[in-house]
Amino acid sequence: MTTVLLSPPITFIILIILGVALSAGVKTLAAHGIAGERKLESYACGQRNVEHSVSPDYGQFFPYAFFFTIMHVLVLVVATAPVGYVQLPLLYVAAGALAWLIIFRR
């Protein structure tokens, strides 16, 4: 019986039911807003939807995000490689070194 209850589909269904029940149970504790003309307007960071909003440039952030992604995948592949297989980790290290050269080629 416990193996059936711990199977992934049954556990998923149980957790969904618990989540829905918890959401319905705490719904009465939630704050209710006053109905008004601007209640459903988009609102973010203290500004209303304006025509001339600032659009940040993430161009300078991209190399760091790309570097982190390459390092993360590289370490994950090398750390989880089976003992006898050396070719795939070496291939990933070479690809990571090439990616670093491309990122920092300034």
XYZ file of all heavy atoms in Angstrom:
814
model
N 0.825 -1.206 0.000
C 0.000 0.000 0.000
C 0.862 1.261 0.000
O 0.544 2.221 -0.687
C -0.941 -0.035 1.221
C -1.846 1.144 1.332
S -3.023 1.154 -0.023
C -3.955 2.568 0.378
N 1.955 1.258 0.776
C 2.796 2.457 0.829
C 3.523 2.681 -0.497
O 3.776 3.823 -0.859
C 3.829 2.364 1.962
O 4.615 1.188 1.769
C 3.162 2.337 3.306
N 3.850 1.615 -1.228
C 4.512 1.813 -2.516
C 3.557 2.439 -3.532
O 3.978 3.198 -4.390
C 5.057 0.485 -3.066
O 3.993 -0.455 -3.173
C 6.143 -0.061 -2.169
N 2.270 2.114 -3.438
C 1.288 2.720 -4.338
C 1.121 4.198 -3.994
O 1.053 5.051 -4.878
C -0.068 1.974 -4.250
C -1.132 2.708 -5.037
C 0.077 0.554 -4.730
N 1.064 4.535 -2.702
C 0.900 5.929 -2.294
C 2.126 6.775 -2.632
O 2.018 7.975 -2.831
C 0.609 6.018 -0.798
C -0.793 5.600 -0.367
C -0.912 5.677 1.144
C -1.829 6.477 -1.015
N 3.305 6.147 -2.671
C 4.524 6.892 -2.957
C 4.879 6.912 -4.440
O 5.904 7.466 -4.811
C 5.691 6.313 -2.146
C 5.589 6.511 -0.640
C 6.767 5.869 0.053
C 5.496 7.978 -0.285
N 4.053 6.345 -5.268
C 4.322 6.406 -6.702
C 4.117 7.842 -7.171
O 3.260 8.565 -6.656
C 3.413 5.446 -7.459
O 2.083 5.875 -7.387
N 4.895 8.315 -8.138
C 4.830 9.732 -8.545
C 3.443 10.221 -8.964
O 3.044 11.322 -8.536
C 5.834 9.806 -9.696
C 6.826 8.736 -9.384
C 6.036 7.629 -8.760
N 2.657 9.494 -9.746
C 1.340 10.047 -10.109
C 0.403 10.213 -8.906
O -0.284 11.230 -8.777
C 0.765 9.032 -11.097
C 1.934 8.264 -11.605
C 2.929 8.267 -10.503
N 0.385 9.229 -8.019
C -0.494 9.310 -6.837
C -0.023 10.430 -5.908
O -0.840 11.215 -5.397
C -0.544 7.955 -6.097
C -1.037 6.849 -7.033
C -1.381 8.052 -4.849
C -2.442 7.056 -7.548
N 1.283 10.538 -5.704
C 1.818 11.601 -4.855
C 1.494 12.975 -5.446
O 1.127 13.901 -4.728
C 3.337 11.441 -4.708
O 3.624 10.143 -4.208
C 3.910 12.472 -3.774
N 1.612 13.111 -6.774
C 1.286 14.373 -7.439
C -0.179 14.736 -7.230
O -0.506 15.880 -6.901
C 1.614 14.257 -8.935
C 1.300 15.496 -9.713
C 2.097 16.622 -9.590
C 0.213 15.533 -10.561
C 1.812 17.772 -10.309
C -0.080 16.670 -11.281
C 0.723 17.789 -11.154
N -1.064 13.784 -7.392
C -2.498 14.040 -7.214
C -2.798 14.423 -5.772
O -3.565 15.356 -5.508
C -3.323 12.809 -7.655
C -3.233 12.654 -9.178
C -4.766 12.926 -7.220
C -3.806 11.357 -9.711
N -2.177 13.731 -4.819
C -2.383 14.054 -3.396
C -1.907 15.470 -3.098
O -2.591 16.246 -2.402
C -1.679 13.020 -2.501
C -2.401 11.677 -2.580
C -1.611 13.496 -1.055
C -1.671 10.540 -1.905
N -0.745 15.849 -3.635
C -0.227 17.193 -3.378
C -1.066 18.268 -4.049
O -1.236 19.367 -3.498
C 1.230 17.285 -3.823
C 2.216 16.521 -2.939
C 3.613 16.573 -3.526
C 2.211 17.061 -1.526
N -1.602 17.993 -5.232
C -2.493 18.955 -5.883
C -3.754 19.155 -5.044
O -4.202 20.291 -4.826
C -2.859 18.487 -7.308
C -1.654 18.591 -8.227
C -4.030 19.269 -7.883
C -1.197 19.995 -8.504
N -4.320 18.072 -4.547
C -5.518 18.175 -3.703
C -5.212 18.953 -2.426
O -5.998 19.818 -2.015
C -6.081 16.770 -3.397
C -6.651 16.152 -4.678
C -7.131 16.818 -2.306
C -7.011 14.685 -4.552
N -4.057 18.674 -1.801
C -3.682 19.412 -0.596
C -3.466 20.899 -0.906
O -3.862 21.765 -0.114
C -2.414 18.822 0.017
C -2.586 17.521 0.782
C -1.225 16.969 1.196
C -3.447 17.753 2.012
N -2.862 21.203 -2.047
C -2.644 22.604 -2.422
C -3.938 23.355 -2.653
O -4.099 24.496 -2.216
N -4.881 22.726 -3.338
C -6.177 23.361 -3.594
C -6.936 23.552 -2.279
O -7.548 24.605 -2.040
C -6.995 22.530 -4.601
C -8.425 23.003 -4.677
C -6.338 22.581 -5.979
N -6.887 22.557 -1.407
C -7.570 22.669 -0.110
C -6.943 23.765 0.745
O -7.663 24.555 1.383
C -7.527 21.336 0.625
N -5.626 23.855 0.749
C -4.958 24.903 1.515
C -5.279 26.283 0.949
O -5.537 27.231 1.696
C -3.444 24.680 1.510
C -2.609 25.669 2.293
C -2.938 25.569 3.780
C -1.142 25.420 2.066
N -5.296 26.401 -0.367
C -5.637 27.682 -0.996
C -7.063 28.104 -0.658
O -7.322 29.271 -0.359
C -5.469 27.571 -2.511
O -5.854 28.751 -3.143
N -7.996 27.155 -0.701
C -9.381 27.477 -0.359
C -9.520 27.796 1.121
O -10.330 28.651 1.505
C -10.292 26.311 -0.736
N -8.722 27.144 1.970
C -8.811 27.368 3.411
C -8.311 28.732 3.836
O -8.861 29.344 4.742
N -7.264 29.235 3.194
C -6.706 30.526 3.601
C -7.278 31.687 2.791
O -6.895 32.831 2.996
C -5.159 30.530 3.506
C -4.565 29.520 4.441
C -4.697 30.323 2.094
N -8.188 31.403 1.878
C -8.786 32.456 1.056
C -9.540 33.478 1.906
O -9.572 34.662 1.579
C -9.728 31.821 0.039
C -10.201 32.739 -1.031
C -11.018 31.970 -2.056
C -11.380 32.859 -3.210
N -12.126 32.135 -4.241
N -10.117 33.033 2.997
C -10.865 33.948 3.859
C -9.940 34.906 4.603
O -10.375 35.968 5.047
C -11.701 33.166 4.885
O -10.830 32.348 5.663
C -12.725 32.289 4.185
N -8.659 34.558 4.736
C -7.711 35.423 5.438
C -7.102 36.490 4.542
O -6.453 37.408 5.028
C -6.585 34.572 6.038
C -6.996 33.496 7.038
C -5.795 32.672 7.438
C -7.642 34.128 8.255
N -7.284 36.366 3.246
C -6.682 37.306 2.297
C -7.361 38.665 2.375
O -8.553 38.776 2.650
C -6.799 36.756 0.880
N -6.580 39.709 2.105
C -7.119 41.071 2.104
C -7.927 41.291 0.835
O -7.521 40.894 -0.245
C -5.985 42.076 2.182
N -9.056 41.902 0.987
C -9.910 42.196 -0.159
C -9.789 43.672 -0.482
O -9.919 44.530 0.387
C -11.375 41.847 0.153
C -11.566 40.401 0.492
N -11.507 39.419 -0.457
C -11.772 39.784 1.680
C -11.694 38.240 0.123
N -11.863 38.445 1.424
N -9.548 43.970 -1.744
C -9.396 45.353 -2.171
C -10.735 46.023 -2.385
O -11.778 45.385 -2.514
N -10.693 47.326 -2.399
C -11.899 48.113 -2.650
C -12.083 48.213 -4.165
O -11.144 48.547 -4.885
C -11.772 49.513 -2.034
C -11.548 49.395 -0.525
C -12.985 50.357 -2.346
C -11.158 50.689 0.129
N -13.274 47.917 -4.617
C -13.547 47.978 -6.051
C -13.465 49.419 -6.526
O -14.053 50.317 -5.944
C -14.923 47.399 -6.349
N -12.699 49.652 -7.563
C -12.550 50.988 -8.116
C -12.194 50.903 -9.582
O -11.988 49.823 -10.132
N -12.089 52.065 -10.211
C -11.824 52.061 -11.647
C -10.407 51.617 -11.983
O -10.136 51.153 -13.071
C -12.084 53.452 -12.227
C -11.133 54.514 -11.711
C -11.435 55.882 -12.261
O -12.560 56.359 -12.025
O -10.556 56.462 -12.911
N -9.461 51.736 -11.046
C -8.072 51.375 -11.326
C -7.639 50.092 -10.624
O -6.455 49.804 -10.553
C -7.162 52.505 -10.897
C -7.411 53.759 -11.695
C -6.406 54.792 -11.358
N -6.681 55.976 -12.158
C -5.778 56.847 -12.491
N -4.554 56.703 -12.081
N -6.098 57.884 -13.228
N -8.556 49.324 -10.125
C -8.203 48.125 -9.378
C -7.500 47.082 -10.242
O -6.565 46.428 -9.791
C -9.450 47.507 -8.746
C -9.142 46.281 -7.915
C -10.365 45.722 -7.246
C -10.004 44.497 -6.432
N -11.148 43.923 -5.774
N -7.900 46.930 -11.472
C -7.340 45.907 -12.337
C -6.281 46.439 -13.304
O -5.862 45.732 -14.210
C -8.465 45.223 -13.125
C -9.519 44.520 -12.270
C -10.611 43.942 -13.148
C -8.881 43.437 -11.425
N -5.803 47.677 -13.105
C -4.755 48.230 -13.957
C -3.419 47.569 -13.662
O -3.165 47.118 -12.547
C -4.606 49.728 -13.697
C -5.406 50.590 -14.613
C -5.074 52.071 -14.407
O -4.033 52.386 -13.824
O -5.889 52.895 -14.816
N -2.559 47.555 -14.676
C -1.215 47.033 -14.448
C -0.447 48.031 -13.582
O -0.567 49.239 -13.734
C -0.515 46.809 -15.782
O -0.410 48.026 -16.483
N 0.359 47.514 -12.687
C 1.075 48.346 -11.738
C 2.362 47.636 -11.371
O 2.357 46.461 -11.002
C 0.216 48.557 -10.491
C 0.849 49.433 -9.438
C 0.776 50.816 -9.545
C 1.502 48.892 -8.349
C 1.334 51.632 -8.584
C 2.068 49.708 -7.385
C 1.980 51.071 -7.501
O 2.539 51.874 -6.560
N 3.485 48.341 -11.502
C 4.753 47.724 -11.144
C 5.721 48.786 -10.657
O 5.833 49.855 -11.241
C 5.350 46.992 -12.344
N 6.404 48.519 -9.604
C 7.486 49.357 -9.080
C 7.048 50.781 -8.759
O 7.812 51.723 -8.910
C 8.666 49.383 -10.044
S 9.296 47.758 -10.407
N 5.844 50.964 -8.374
C 5.384 52.281 -7.965
C 5.009 53.214 -9.088
O 4.741 54.377 -8.853
N 5.007 52.730 -10.329
C 4.651 53.592 -11.445
C 3.429 53.041 -12.156
O 3.287 51.847 -12.340
C 5.789 53.661 -12.463
C 7.011 54.366 -11.966
C 8.073 54.413 -13.053
O 8.096 53.572 -13.934
N 8.943 55.388 -12.960
N 2.596 53.925 -12.577
C 1.489 53.519 -13.416
C 2.017 53.331 -14.833
O 3.127 53.717 -15.156
C 0.385 54.567 -13.384
C -0.237 54.729 -12.025
C -1.586 55.401 -12.153
N -2.126 55.759 -10.862
C -2.662 54.900 -9.998
N -2.692 53.639 -10.287
N -3.135 55.310 -8.851
N 1.206 52.759 -15.676
C 1.592 52.522 -17.052
C 1.751 53.865 -17.776
O 0.780 54.531 -18.064
C 0.530 51.665 -17.750
C 1.004 51.159 -19.084
O 2.157 51.338 -19.448
N 0.102 50.539 -19.815
N 2.993 54.264 -18.043
C 3.261 55.548 -18.694
C 3.774 55.304 -20.104
O 4.299 54.237 -20.418
C 4.285 56.376 -17.884
C 3.702 56.791 -16.557
C 5.566 55.613 -17.693
N 3.658 56.316 -20.948
C 4.064 56.164 -22.340
C 5.575 56.115 -22.503
O 6.107 55.365 -23.303
C 3.491 57.310 -23.176
C 1.992 57.250 -23.345
C 1.483 58.389 -24.208
O 2.271 58.946 -24.981
O 0.291 58.700 -24.092
N 6.300 56.926 -21.768
C 7.742 57.027 -21.927
C 8.446 56.329 -20.765
O 9.149 56.953 -19.979
C 8.174 58.486 -22.008
C 7.492 59.228 -23.113
N 7.776 58.992 -24.426
C 6.524 60.170 -23.096
C 7.022 59.778 -25.185
N 6.242 60.504 -24.390
N 8.273 55.031 -20.678
C 8.917 54.304 -19.591
C 10.346 53.953 -19.984
O 10.703 53.897 -21.155
C 8.130 53.028 -19.275
O 8.120 52.193 -20.411
N 11.170 53.699 -19.001
C 12.569 53.363 -19.227
C 12.668 51.887 -19.576
O 12.100 51.033 -18.902
C 13.400 53.680 -17.965
C 14.832 53.258 -18.157
C 13.308 55.155 -17.642
N 13.392 51.577 -20.619
C 13.627 50.195 -21.010
C 15.095 49.878 -20.765
O 15.965 50.337 -21.508
C 13.278 49.999 -22.481
O 13.518 48.668 -22.858
N 15.409 49.109 -19.716
C 16.817 48.869 -19.389
C 17.510 48.028 -20.457
O 16.897 47.193 -21.113
C 16.751 48.121 -18.058
C 15.384 47.578 -17.980
C 14.502 48.463 -18.792
N 18.804 48.259 -20.615
C 19.613 47.522 -21.571
C 20.380 46.441 -20.821
O 21.169 46.736 -19.932
C 20.589 48.484 -22.264
C 21.489 47.771 -23.241
O 21.078 46.721 -23.769
O 22.602 48.278 -23.480
N 20.132 45.201 -21.197
C 20.797 44.082 -20.538
C 21.996 43.586 -21.338
O 22.490 42.493 -21.117
C 19.807 42.938 -20.322
C 18.732 43.284 -19.326
C 17.439 43.547 -19.746
C 19.019 43.370 -17.977
C 16.451 43.880 -18.839
C 18.037 43.705 -17.065
C 16.760 43.956 -17.500
O 15.788 44.274 -16.611
N 22.473 44.380 -22.277
C 23.598 43.976 -23.113
C 24.867 43.736 -22.314
O 25.662 42.854 -22.640
N 25.083 44.529 -21.271
C 26.279 44.340 -20.452
C 26.142 43.154 -19.514
O 27.132 42.603 -19.048
C 26.556 45.595 -19.643
C 26.907 46.783 -20.512
C 27.053 48.052 -19.687
O 26.636 48.102 -18.532
N 27.630 49.082 -20.287
N 24.940 42.733 -19.229
C 24.701 41.609 -18.335
C 24.854 40.272 -19.046
O 25.174 39.259 -18.426
C 23.295 41.730 -17.727
C 22.873 40.560 -16.903
C 23.467 40.312 -15.683
C 21.886 39.696 -17.344
C 23.084 39.232 -14.918
C 21.494 38.615 -16.594
C 22.099 38.387 -15.371
N 24.633 40.237 -20.357
C 24.619 38.989 -21.104
C 25.913 38.175 -20.973
O 25.846 36.970 -20.764
C 24.304 39.241 -22.579
C 24.343 38.000 -23.408
C 23.310 37.080 -23.345
C 25.423 37.719 -24.223
C 23.344 35.920 -24.094
C 25.474 36.571 -24.983
C 24.425 35.663 -24.909
N 27.117 38.773 -21.091
C 28.326 37.943 -20.954
C 28.430 37.240 -19.612
O 28.876 36.096 -19.542
C 29.474 38.940 -21.135
C 28.882 40.056 -21.911
C 27.449 40.145 -21.488
N 28.010 37.891 -18.550
C 28.072 37.259 -17.233
C 27.076 36.104 -17.118
O 27.383 35.057 -16.560
C 27.823 38.287 -16.124
C 28.856 39.374 -16.119
C 28.556 40.647 -16.577
C 30.150 39.128 -15.680
C 29.505 41.645 -16.585
C 31.108 40.112 -15.682
C 30.786 41.371 -16.136
O 31.733 42.349 -16.152
N 25.878 36.307 -17.653
C 24.881 35.237 -17.627
C 25.332 34.061 -18.488
O 25.185 32.900 -18.103
C 23.531 35.769 -18.114
N 25.899 34.352 -19.640
C 26.391 33.298 -20.521
C 27.556 32.553 -19.872
O 27.632 31.324 -19.926
C 26.809 33.905 -21.862
C 27.125 32.888 -22.909
C 26.148 32.032 -23.381
C 28.404 32.787 -23.427
C 26.438 31.098 -24.352
C 28.703 31.858 -24.398
C 27.717 31.004 -24.861
N 28.466 33.293 -19.223
C 29.594 32.680 -18.522
C 29.095 31.759 -17.409
O 29.578 30.639 -17.255
C 30.500 33.773 -17.949
C 31.639 33.241 -17.135
C 32.735 32.674 -17.758
C 31.619 33.314 -15.760
C 33.796 32.188 -17.010
C 32.668 32.828 -15.000
C 33.760 32.266 -15.634
N 28.124 32.210 -16.633
C 27.578 31.385 -15.565
C 26.938 30.123 -16.128
O 27.109 29.031 -15.582
C 26.552 32.172 -14.747
C 25.864 31.334 -13.719
C 26.494 31.004 -12.537
C 24.582 30.851 -13.938
C 25.868 30.223 -11.589
C 23.945 30.070 -13.002
C 24.593 29.754 -11.822
N 26.195 30.241 -17.222
C 25.541 29.079 -17.825
C 26.574 28.075 -18.318
O 26.444 26.868 -18.077
C 24.638 29.525 -18.988
O 23.701 30.470 -18.491
C 23.912 28.351 -19.599
N 27.604 28.566 -19.005
C 28.655 27.673 -19.504
C 29.351 26.980 -18.340
O 29.575 25.762 -18.361
C 29.670 28.465 -20.354
C 29.007 28.984 -21.620
C 30.885 27.619 -20.686
C 28.518 27.904 -22.553
N 29.704 27.719 -17.303
C 30.378 27.112 -16.146
C 29.486 26.091 -15.455
O 29.946 25.028 -15.041
C 30.801 28.195 -15.141
C 32.006 28.970 -15.570
S 33.460 27.927 -15.726
C 33.699 27.406 -14.057
N 28.216 26.413 -15.312
C 27.289 25.518 -14.633
C 27.171 24.192 -15.379
O 27.287 23.121 -14.780
C 25.925 26.195 -14.515
C 24.919 25.399 -13.764
N 24.867 25.392 -12.402
C 23.945 24.562 -14.186
C 23.896 24.582 -12.009
N 23.313 24.068 -13.081
N 26.955 24.255 -16.673
C 26.821 23.027 -17.471
C 28.140 22.270 -17.499
O 28.169 21.044 -17.396
C 26.331 23.360 -18.896
C 26.397 22.155 -19.798
C 24.919 23.914 -18.841
N 29.247 22.991 -17.617
C 30.557 22.355 -17.651
C 30.839 21.583 -16.365
O 31.225 20.409 -16.405
C 31.627 23.421 -17.885
C 33.053 22.940 -18.037
C 33.199 22.230 -19.366
C 34.008 24.099 -17.962
N 30.626 22.204 -15.240
C 30.863 21.535 -13.958
C 29.896 20.375 -13.764
O 30.279 19.308 -13.284
C 30.756 22.549 -12.795
C 30.723 21.851 -11.457
C 31.912 23.524 -12.856
N 28.647 20.551 -14.166
C 27.661 19.478 -14.030
C 28.041 18.263 -14.863
O 27.985 17.127 -14.380
C 26.280 19.996 -14.439
C 25.108 19.054 -14.247
C 24.891 18.803 -12.766
C 23.862 19.624 -14.876
N 28.457 18.467 -16.101
C 28.822 17.345 -16.965
C 30.090 16.665 -16.472
O 30.170 15.445 -16.405
C 28.979 17.823 -18.429
C 29.642 16.765 -19.291
C 27.630 18.180 -19.000
N 31.099 17.445 -16.089
C 32.358 16.852 -15.632
C 32.169 16.131 -14.300
O 32.701 15.041 -14.090
C 33.454 17.936 -15.534
C 34.705 17.398 -14.865
C 33.790 18.460 -16.921
N 31.385 16.690 -13.403
C 31.205 16.077 -12.083
C 30.362 14.810 -12.134
O 30.537 13.916 -11.307
C 30.569 17.079 -11.125
N 29.463 14.715 -13.094
C 28.591 13.539 -13.142
C 28.996 12.547 -14.225
O 28.257 11.610 -14.504
C 27.135 13.967 -13.386
O 27.048 14.674 -14.622
C 26.615 14.805 -12.234
N 30.156 12.745 -14.827
C 30.619 11.821 -15.859
C 30.987 10.481 -15.224
O 31.565 10.437 -14.139
C 31.823 12.405 -16.583
N 30.660 9.381 -15.886
C 31.056 8.076 -15.361
C 32.576 7.947 -15.305
O 33.308 8.634 -16.012
C 30.466 7.086 -16.372
C 29.394 7.837 -17.074
C 29.820 9.265 -17.063
N 33.049 7.013 -14.497
C 34.474 6.890 -14.215
C 35.289 6.593 -15.471
O 36.332 7.182 -15.701
C 34.712 5.797 -13.139
C 36.185 5.567 -12.928
C 34.040 6.185 -11.849
N 34.856 5.710 -16.328
C 35.650 5.296 -17.467
C 35.587 6.216 -18.665
O 36.365 6.059 -19.607
N 34.698 7.191 -18.678
C 34.506 8.044 -19.849
C 35.226 9.365 -19.663
O 34.900 10.148 -18.787
C 33.021 8.301 -20.093
C 32.270 7.039 -20.410
C 31.577 6.355 -19.417
C 32.258 6.532 -21.693
C 30.888 5.186 -19.704
C 31.576 5.363 -21.998
C 30.890 4.704 -20.990
O 30.219 3.560 -21.292
N 36.209 9.607 -20.515
C 36.998 10.831 -20.415
C 36.727 11.754 -21.611
O 36.879 12.960 -21.504
C 38.504 10.475 -20.348
C 39.360 11.714 -20.241
C 38.768 9.554 -19.179
N 36.281 11.188 -22.729
C 36.127 11.976 -23.948
C 35.067 13.065 -23.812
O 35.303 14.218 -24.205
C 35.763 11.076 -25.146
C 36.828 10.095 -25.526
C 36.722 8.792 -24.741
O 35.779 8.601 -23.983
N 37.696 7.914 -24.917
N 33.903 12.727 -23.290
C 32.831 13.716 -23.190
C 33.198 14.869 -22.255
O 33.024 16.035 -22.630
C 31.524 13.053 -22.742
C 30.309 13.973 -22.695
C 29.971 14.474 -24.099
C 29.123 13.263 -22.097
N 33.731 14.608 -21.047
C 34.132 15.754 -20.209
C 35.213 16.613 -20.864
O 35.169 17.844 -20.765
C 34.647 15.104 -18.929
C 33.949 13.803 -18.864
C 33.792 13.358 -20.282
N 36.162 15.991 -21.560
C 37.195 16.779 -22.228
C 36.613 17.612 -23.366
O 37.030 18.750 -23.593
C 38.304 15.868 -22.753
C 39.244 15.300 -21.691
C 40.270 14.378 -22.330
C 39.926 16.412 -20.922
N 35.640 17.053 -24.061
C 34.967 17.797 -25.118
C 34.229 19.007 -24.540
O 34.280 20.104 -25.101
C 33.992 16.881 -25.867
C 33.202 17.515 -26.996
C 34.137 17.884 -28.136
C 32.132 16.565 -27.480
N 33.574 18.820 -23.406
C 32.868 19.938 -22.776
C 33.841 20.991 -22.248
O 33.569 22.188 -22.315
C 31.970 19.432 -21.644
C 30.576 19.124 -22.118
C 30.239 17.862 -22.587
C 29.592 20.094 -22.099
C 28.969 17.575 -23.024
C 28.313 19.826 -22.534
C 28.005 18.561 -22.999
O 26.745 18.293 -23.442
N 34.980 20.559 -21.717
C 35.981 21.524 -21.244
C 36.523 22.325 -22.422
O 36.695 23.553 -22.330
C 37.108 20.795 -20.479
C 38.280 21.723 -20.230
C 36.579 20.250 -19.160
N 36.767 21.672 -23.554
C 37.243 22.381 -24.741
C 36.181 23.361 -25.253
O 36.494 24.502 -25.610
C 37.618 21.374 -25.829
N 34.926 22.918 -25.276
C 33.848 23.813 -25.716
C 33.692 24.984 -24.747
O 33.435 26.119 -25.163
C 32.540 23.047 -25.839
N 33.858 24.730 -23.452
C 33.783 25.811 -22.462
C 34.918 26.801 -22.624
O 34.716 28.016 -22.520
N 36.121 26.313 -22.901
C 37.261 27.206 -23.123
C 37.041 28.055 -24.373
O 37.339 29.259 -24.380
C 38.541 26.392 -23.240
N 36.485 27.451 -25.421
C 36.171 28.205 -26.632
C 35.109 29.269 -26.351
O 35.208 30.407 -26.824
C 35.695 27.260 -27.733
C 35.333 27.894 -29.067
C 36.555 28.545 -29.685
C 34.754 26.849 -30.002
N 34.103 28.922 -25.569
C 33.060 29.897 -25.208
C 33.654 31.048 -24.392
O 33.283 32.202 -24.591
C 31.950 29.207 -24.433
N 34.579 30.749 -23.476
C 35.219 31.811 -22.704
C 36.009 32.740 -23.600
O 36.017 33.953 -23.396
C 36.132 31.235 -21.636
C 35.423 30.472 -20.567
C 34.133 30.596 -20.175
C 35.988 29.451 -19.765
N 33.863 29.710 -19.194
C 34.981 28.996 -18.908
C 37.232 28.865 -19.676
C 35.183 27.987 -17.981
C 37.438 27.865 -18.750
C 36.424 27.439 -17.913
N 36.708 32.171 -24.578
C 37.463 33.011 -25.515
C 36.531 33.904 -26.315
O 36.855 35.077 -26.582
C 38.284 32.133 -26.448
C 39.496 31.438 -25.820
C 40.138 30.493 -26.815
C 40.488 32.452 -25.328
N 35.376 33.386 -26.695
C 34.427 34.189 -27.461
C 33.828 35.289 -26.585
O 33.666 36.440 -27.028
C 33.316 33.283 -28.037
C 33.897 32.394 -29.127
C 32.170 34.114 -28.584
C 32.959 31.315 -29.609
N 33.534 34.988 -25.337
C 32.925 35.987 -24.441
C 33.903 37.127 -24.155
O 33.555 38.296 -24.219
C 32.492 35.333 -23.106
C 31.352 34.380 -23.333
C 32.078 36.400 -22.106
C 31.005 33.579 -22.092
N 35.132 36.766 -23.813
C 36.081 37.769 -23.339
C 37.117 38.134 -24.410
O 38.273 38.388 -24.105
C 36.792 37.256 -22.088
C 35.839 36.955 -20.965
C 35.668 35.669 -20.515
C 35.112 37.967 -20.378
C 34.778 35.383 -19.500
C 34.226 37.694 -19.350
C 34.059 36.406 -18.907
N 36.718 38.231 -25.650
C 37.664 38.506 -26.732
C 37.919 39.993 -26.939
O 38.509 40.392 -27.914
C 37.162 37.900 -28.027
C 35.891 38.548 -28.528
C 35.460 37.996 -29.831
N 34.177 38.620 -30.164
C 33.346 38.152 -31.024
N 33.658 37.069 -31.665
N 32.207 38.759 -31.256
N 37.527 40.822 -26.055
C 37.674 42.275 -26.207
C 39.093 42.658 -26.351
O 40.056 42.665 -26.069
C 37.077 42.988 -25.006
C 35.603 42.811 -24.963
C 35.036 43.513 -23.804
N 33.648 43.179 -23.650
C 32.856 43.711 -22.790
N 33.288 44.618 -21.969
N 31.596 43.358 -22.712
